[in-house]
Amino acid sequence: QVHVVESGGGLVQPGGSLRLSCAASGFFLRDYSIGWFRQAPGKEREGISCIGSSDGSTYYSGSVKGRFTISRDNAKNTAYLQMSSLKPEDTAVYYCAANLMRSRCPGPLLQYEYDYWGQGTQVTVSS
């Protein structure tokens, strides 16, 4: 049975850091590119970062570029999103998802391409 589980969310002050984890079971994460998405209250879900399966290529949206770092550990079947210099506008539910269609991440994420999704983890940035 396929599962994707995010963890590591929580409450953090502006300027702080968090590392989110995305643990997969029931399939091999190494075969999939991994995307991170987020949905803030009252807003549509947006794709913010992706890491390819074949070459480790990465993509970041303009809103997180330079502050967030995506990585993966295929041996642990886990992907990560290191978030630094967090801002109140980063407050959202963060989701990871696995995409078998694409082995690389050349640009903006297309949600319909993603096969498996986690349930999300809440990140709140507030003083």
Side-chain angles (χ1 to χ4, degrees):
Q1 194 168 8
V2 169
H3 289 289
V4 176
V5 179
E6 304 93 338
S7 61
L11 174 64
V12 63
Q13 291 187 343
S17 299
L18 280 175
R19 188 177 80 156
L20 305 183
S21 297
C22 170
S25 60
F27 66 101
F28 292 112
L29 206 66
R30 66 173 183 254
D31 298 328
Y32 293 74
S33 62
I34 301 300
W36 283 96
F37 299 79
R38 69 184 181 186
Q39 187 167 21
K43 295 187 177 182
E44 293 187 354
R45 188 163 56 188
E46 62 168 331
I48 58 172
S49 185
C50 173
I51 184 166
S53 60
S54 62
D55 60 356
S57 58
T58 58
Y59 164 84
Y60 299 93
S61 68
S63 60
V64 306
K65 193 171 186 179
R67 300 187 298 123
F68 291 11
T69 302
I70 191 170
S71 62
R72 61 193 301 155
D73 186 338
N74 291 333
K76 294 183 178 180
N77 228 32
T78 301
Y80 305 95
L81 186 69
Q82 177 68 48
M83 306 187 296
S84 303
S85 302
L86 284 162
K87 306 174 182 179
E89 51 264 42
D90 294 318
T91 295
V93 178
Y94 284 71
Y95 302 88
C96 74
N99 180 349
L100 183 61
M101 179 185 301
R102 291 193 182 274
S103 59
R104 301 180 67 247
C105 293
L109 286 68
L110 300 174
Q111 296 189 42
Y112 68 83
E113 292 185 340
Y114 286 78
D115 304 284
Y116 305 132
W117 290 80
Q119 82 291 344
T121 186
Q122 176 70 46
V123 172
T124 302
V125 184
S126 175
S127 56

